[in-house]
Amino acid sequence: MQKRIFVLNGHPSESSLNRALAETYAAAARAAGHDVRLTHLRDMDFDPDYGFNGYDYHKPLEPDLETLLDHIDWAQHVVITSPMWWGGLPAKLKGMFDRSFLPGRSFDTRNPLASGMPRPMLKGRSARLIITSDTPRWFLSLAYRSAMIWQLRGQILKFVGITPTRVSYFAGVSKAKAGHTNKWLETVRGLGSSGA
């Protein structure tokens, strides 16, 4: 089944494994007949600092953040590639969420759920996280309780209604041999072809 897929390369540098993974996914999805939009965080121009206390006031969204939200509104499936730095998201990627996922656009504080939590406004979309790291997956789980994955999947995407979110995790990237990199790219190519 053809899907509308938005792919975000969340690595802030111009050239990276994350960029290659995002572009590989997007190319495979397009070749399989999916409708794909691809954005590189590196090319987005916005102030990542929210800069206010609470939601009574917030900065007007820059055009690139408005476009990001338009892409998410349009999409049925959202794919985000990101490195794990110091156990979390790159600062610009975290700033993108801080600035763009706001009440009235991504969640509704005026019409809460029965639990009292804000009502998600981005339901009807699934997601795929493609995370690169030097930390082995077993160690991330045992020592750090998969904090970054929980943050992205549970505290950000699920909070605004994007669920289910599946995760592909590639470890040992700084010293990866070509064979490993090619295997990761092939895995992502398969995900793109199936729109998963």
Side-chain angles (χ1 to χ4, degrees), residues 48-71:
D49 183 10
Y50 183 76
F52 289 97
N53 179 21
Y55 289 121
D56 291 335
Y57 304 98
H58 58 83
K59 299 173 187 175
L61 296 182
E62 293 88 344
D64 284 346
L65 293 179
E66 290 285 4
T67 299
L68 169 84
L69 290 172
D70 288 344
H71 289 333

Side-chain angles (χ1 to χ4, degrees), residues 58-175:
H58 58 83
K59 299 173 187 175
L61 296 182
E62 293 88 344
D64 284 346
L65 293 179
E66 290 285 4
T67 299
L68 169 84
L69 290 172
D70 288 344
H71 289 333
I72 293 173
D73 286 341
W74 165 86
Q76 296 168 305
H77 187 59
V78 177
V79 178
I80 301 170
T81 69
S82 176
M84 183 174 74
W85 288 350
W86 292 105
L89 302 171
K92 187 174 181 180
L93 182 57
K94 177 59 166 57
M96 184 203 77
F97 288 120
D98 289 347
R99 289 289 317 286
S100 60
F101 279 17
L102 297 171
R105 289 295 293 267
S106 300
F107 59 94
D108 185 356
T109 56
R110 295 180 180 181
N111 182 29
L113 300 170
S115 65
M117 294 295 288
R119 188 172 298 276
M121 295 179 68
L122 298 178
K123 286 187 170 184
R125 295 161 185 83
S126 57
R128 164 73 57 179
L129 302 176
I130 300 172
I131 298 172
T132 59
S133 175
D134 283 330
T135 304
R137 185 68 175 92
W138 66 267
F139 192 82
L140 180 74
S141 179
L142 289 177
Y144 303 126
R145 301 183 184 223
S146 301
M148 177 181 166
I149 293 170
W150 173 249
Q151 179 188 31
L152 269 169
R153 181 163 45 189
Q155 295 177 281
I156 297 176
L157 297 179
K158 187 176 180 181
F159 187 86
V160 298
I162 301 176
T163 183
T165 297
R166 293 178 175 84
V167 179
S168 298
Y169 185 87
F170 303 125
V173 298
S174 290
K175 297 181 181 177

